[in-house]
Amino acid sequence: MRLLNSVLILLVALTVAWSYPGKMLKKIVTPGKFCTGLTFDGKFLWVADYKADQIFKIDPESGKVVHQIPSPGFWPMGLAWDGKHLWNVDAKAKKIYKLDAQSGQILTTLDAPSADPQGLTWDGQTLWISDARKNRIMSLDLSDGTAVKRYKGPAKRVNGLTFDGKYLWASDRLQNEIYMIDPKNGEIILIIDAPGPYARGLAFDGKNLWCVDYQNDQLYQLVRKDEEKFRLKDKRHARITLTDQLNAYGSGSIHNLEFYIAVPQELPNQKILKKSFTPQRLKMVQDQWNQPVALFHFQDIQANARVEVQMTVEAEIYAIDYFIFPEDVGSLQDIPKEIRQRYTADGGKYLLNDPYIQTTAREIIGNERHPYWMARKIFDFVRNQLEYKLEGGWNAAPVVLQRQTGSCSEYTFSFIALCRAVGLPARYVGAIVVRGDDASMDEVFHRWPQVYLPNYGWVHIDPQGGDKPVARDRAMNIGHLSNRFLITTLNGGDSKYLGWYYNYNQIYRCDPQLKIEIETFAEWEPLEN
């Protein structure tokens, strides 16, 4: 019995440890096959069914229907509870009804400010409604039903809405995702996977979320918030070979040649299974940012010769989703002193004392001192200020920002400079990238920033990747990273061995008549899991 109890305790501990936002806790079969709207009255769930033309009251513990009322129209969609009464929006009538929850009697009728009203929720003071076809979210003036605030939907089609006391949550059945939204500006803070293929109504029970799925005919209870800081998914098992070649033409020789290759490390989202190098005569070194580097040294290379080095890595790489709740992010004073000092220092690509950087950084953040919102403001400024364009070379941040165009590296330098100018630690990441097919070649590579958020650590934030018109696509570049990247480089800038490069670098000394050509590329080979 003691052994059984110990096993049960361990299983409970593991369940808690692996609980994360969006994880399913419970599911209940819906009372009908055409369920749409959902709300919670403090004790019971209410769900609308547009074929039955009924609104069902459900005990969330047993899943039993304890009461039902007729819907006020013939196409009931979103439901909301204002503390005393039910509200229901009808898609065909384009009306919003305030109802007596016991009798179903209509108490108030408003015109919906929308051609395709679906989601509905109450924020403590007023209603919010969604238009699925036009992909909009609106707060309402309850005197006449007109829109007071209006935001674009987070992705493609807003189906359900709920409010958790601070944030709006919206479901999108085309994207199969659920979004936590800042009601002040409509920006997405958190993204979780929908529990089924056709997420419609949403509800908040005071602790967790509920979602009704129209295709699966299920009510799902989902974790809204837990202690897990991130989730791993979508494992990729691959062999990646980085090749660095130097060809010498003309006359003369290379007197001294050094190849540097950044060696990938174990990270939350990547597990390094094997590493090998060719040739095997190399030296492992480490720069001032603790980045491991493989150093290959050659001497007296004659004209018309080729020198080649390779690094082969077998790795398991995961997509990673950080669950960042702004209220859980610590203050600037909570950042460890060593990190604050090292990653707010100046550098030749940052030029923190440049008047443009100083003035612009202060204007961007204003009075904001919360690290998460400082990072979001700088992220928005950089993605709005810059247009992706390869101008040749990597210019320093003030030049790039005033020119208003840049490469991924220049977006990165600009973001880091503005962060460091206001005391927010930032660094960059360099990676080898899957380009389309699982078996692919990368010769372009990618670099993006990380920002240090106290209580979360180093978080990916890519203003070049997030330079998108849709809120969901912007948010996918804050705290999210797909499994397409083998991260080789974690650096603060101007590495002792890599300089301002990432993935690799070369340094050589040769005769003046010798022409040097360098080619670097990486190949992905998918492996069986």
Side-chain angles (χ1 to χ4, degrees):
M1 181 62 72
R2 287 182 179 178
L3 178 60
L4 177 60
N5 287 337
S6 298
V7 171
L8 290 174
I9 291 170
L10 177 60
L11 288 174
V12 170
L14 289 173
T15 301
V16 172
W18 289 102
S19 185
Y20 53 86
K23 182 177 181 179
M24 185 180 68
L25 299 174
K26 185 178 186 177
K27 63 181 178 180
I28 298 171
V29 177
T30 58
K33 297 290 187 181
F34 300 88
C35 291
T36 54
L38 186 66
T39 194
F40 183 74
D41 69 5
K43 186 176 181 181
F44 297 99
L45 293 165
W46 293 80
V47 61
D49 186 300
Y50 75 77
K51 184 177 182 181
D53 294 330
Q54 295 287 312
I55 301 174
F56 300 97
K57 182 179 181 180
I58 300 172
D59 182 346
E61 294 298 321
S62 66
K64 294 181 179 179
V65 174
V66 297
H67 183 56
Q68 66 188 74
I69 58 175
S71 63
F74 299 103
W75 210 268
M77 301 301 287
L79 291 173
W81 177 260
D82 69 5
K84 293 183 178 180
H85 304 100
L86 272 176
W87 292 81
N88 176 228
V89 60
D90 190 276
K92 292 294 185 183
K94 298 178 178 55
K95 300 288 186 181
I96 304 169
Y97 303 100
K98 181 179 180 180
L99 307 175
D100 181 281
Q102 185 62 33
S103 66
Q105 182 179 356
I106 298 173
L107 306 176
T108 303
T109 303
L110 299 171
D111 290 325
S114 162
D116 187 21
Q118 289 206 12
L120 195 69
T121 192
W122 179 263
D123 71 357
Q125 296 182 328
T126 191
L127 291 168
W128 290 77
I129 193 169
S130 69
D131 183 309
R133 192 176 308 151
K134 292 188 177 180
N135 194 34
R136 290 176 179 168
I137 298 174
M138 295 161 280
S139 66
L140 303 184
D141 182 339
L142 294 183
S143 66
D144 59 6
T146 56
V148 177
K149 293 181 180 178
R150 184 165 67 180
Y151 303 125
K152 287 184 178 180
K156 296 179 179 180
R157 184 180 178 90
V158 190
N159 291 96
L161 290 176
T162 194
F163 184 72
D164 68 4
K166 187 169 186 176
Y167 302 106
L168 285 170
W169 292 78
S171 63
D172 186 304
R173 65 100 171 172
L174 294 179
Q175 202 69 48
N176 290 330
E177 292 173 335
I178 298 171
Y179 309 99
M180 188 175 84
I181 301 169
D182 184 349
K184 296 190 295 294
N185 55 26
E187 287 294 324
I188 297 172
I189 298 173
L190 195 68
I191 301 174
I192 62 176
D193 294 330
Y198 200 133
R200 295 199 89 154
L202 294 175
F204 176 64
D205 67 9
K207 181 180 179 181
N208 296 303
L209 296 170
W210 288 83
C211 176
V212 60
D213 192 87
Y214 178 78
Q215 182 170 319
N216 287 352
D217 300 323
Q218 298 277 351
L219 283 165
Y220 297 95
Q221 187 184 37
L222 309 173
V223 174
R224 172 194 170 271
K225 184 178 180 180
D226 211 342
E227 295 184 0
E228 289 297 318
K229 296 292 194 276
F230 60 82
R231 179 192 178 195
L232 301 178
K233 59 184 182 181
D234 302 335
K235 182 174 78 171
R236 179 190 297 276
H237 186 196
R239 182 181 295 115
I240 306 97
T241 301
L242 178 68
T243 301
D244 204 357
Q245 295 176 344
L246 181 145
N247 292 287
Y249 303 99
S251 60
S253 63
I254 302 174
H255 301 287
N256 192 70
L257 169 63
E258 291 181 340
F259 287 96
Y260 302 96
I261 294 181
V263 179
Q265 306 171 58
E266 292 274 330
L267 297 171
N269 63 312
Q270 69 182 29
K271 182 179 181 181
I272 308 302
L273 303 177
K274 296 179 183 178
K275 290 182 289 191
S276 62
F277 301 89
T278 305
Q280 295 183 3
R281 60 176 193 278
L282 72 150
K283 179 182 179 182
M284 295 300 298
V285 294
Q286 196 172 70
D287 70 9
Q288 72 270 34
W289 306 103
N290 299 319
Q291 168 69 51
V293 177
L295 166 60
F296 302 84
H297 184 224
F298 301 87
Q299 288 182 309
D300 300 324
I301 307 299
Q302 298 304 307
N304 303 311
R306 168 182 288 185
V307 183
E308 178 179 290
V309 299
Q310 285 187 334
M311 175 181 69
T312 300
V313 177
E314 183 180 338
E316 291 177 351
I317 304 169
Y318 298 81
I320 186 168
D321 296 329
Y322 276 86
F323 304 118
I324 303 172
F325 291 83
E327 60 270 24
D328 293 342
V329 175
S331 68
L332 290 174
Q333 288 69 38
D334 295 322
I335 298 171
K337 182 178 179 181
E338 180 184 358
I339 289 175
R340 189 166 60 246
Q341 289 179 340
R342 283 172 61 83
Y343 294 99
T344 58
D346 203 355
K349 299 295 183 183
Y350 309 138
L351 302 183
L352 303 187
N353 294 320
D354 184 275
Y356 177 83
I357 293 294
Q358 287 289 316
T359 301
T360 302
R362 287 195 299 268
E363 289 175 350
I364 292 169
I365 67 162
N367 295 324
E368 185 61 68
R369 292 298 179 269
H370 188 285
Y372 175 85
W373 295 115
M374 291 168 69
R376 288 287 304 237
K377 283 175 176 284
I378 295 170
F379 171 87
D380 286 338
F381 176 83
V382 172
R383 70 174 181 81
N384 285 320
Q385 181 78 358
L386 297 182
E387 177 185 0
Y388 183 79
K389 187 177 181 181
L390 300 177
E391 300 281 1
W394 294 330
N395 287 292
V399 174
V400 174
L401 288 168
Q402 292 176 89
R403 187 182 66 205
Q404 300 184 357
T405 60
S407 64
C408 66
S409 290
E410 291 172 318
Y411 272 78
T412 298
F413 298 149
S414 299
F415 178 87
I416 292 174
L418 294 169
C419 284
R420 291 190 177 192
V422 294
L424 186 62
R427 68 183 184 185
Y428 59 78
V429 171
I432 300 167
V433 187
V434 173
R435 300 291 177 180
D437 297 312
D438 290 341
S440 63
M441 185 183 77
D442 184 21
E443 58 179 343
V444 181
F445 310 113
H446 188 49
R447 169 161 36 193
W448 65 92
Q450 287 183 327
V451 65
Y452 190 89
L453 298 180
N455 298 334
Y456 286 90
W458 290 106
V459 174
H460 303 285
I461 181 165
D462 187 352
Q464 188 262 309
D467 194 0
K468 303 287 195 315
V470 178
R472 184 259 180 196
D473 296 339
R474 296 195 291 271
M476 284 299 292
N477 287 276
I478 302 172
H480 300 266
L481 192 68
S482 79
N483 64 359
R484 297 173 52 234
F485 304 93
L486 173 69
I487 295 173
T488 66
T489 312
L490 298 169
N491 226 290
D494 202 11
S495 162
K496 178 180 179 182
Y497 301 108
L498 299 172
W500 286 97
Y501 294 90
Y502 61 99
N503 293 344
Y504 60 87
N505 189 21
Q506 311 90 10
I507 297 176
Y508 57 86
R509 181 169 55 86
C510 68
D511 291 329
Q513 288 80 27
L514 200 66
K515 180 181 179 182
I516 303 295
E517 289 186 358
I518 296 174
E519 184 178 15
T520 308
F521 55 90
E523 297 165 288
W524 289 81
E525 178 187 354
L527 301 174
E528 293 294 329
N529 289 325

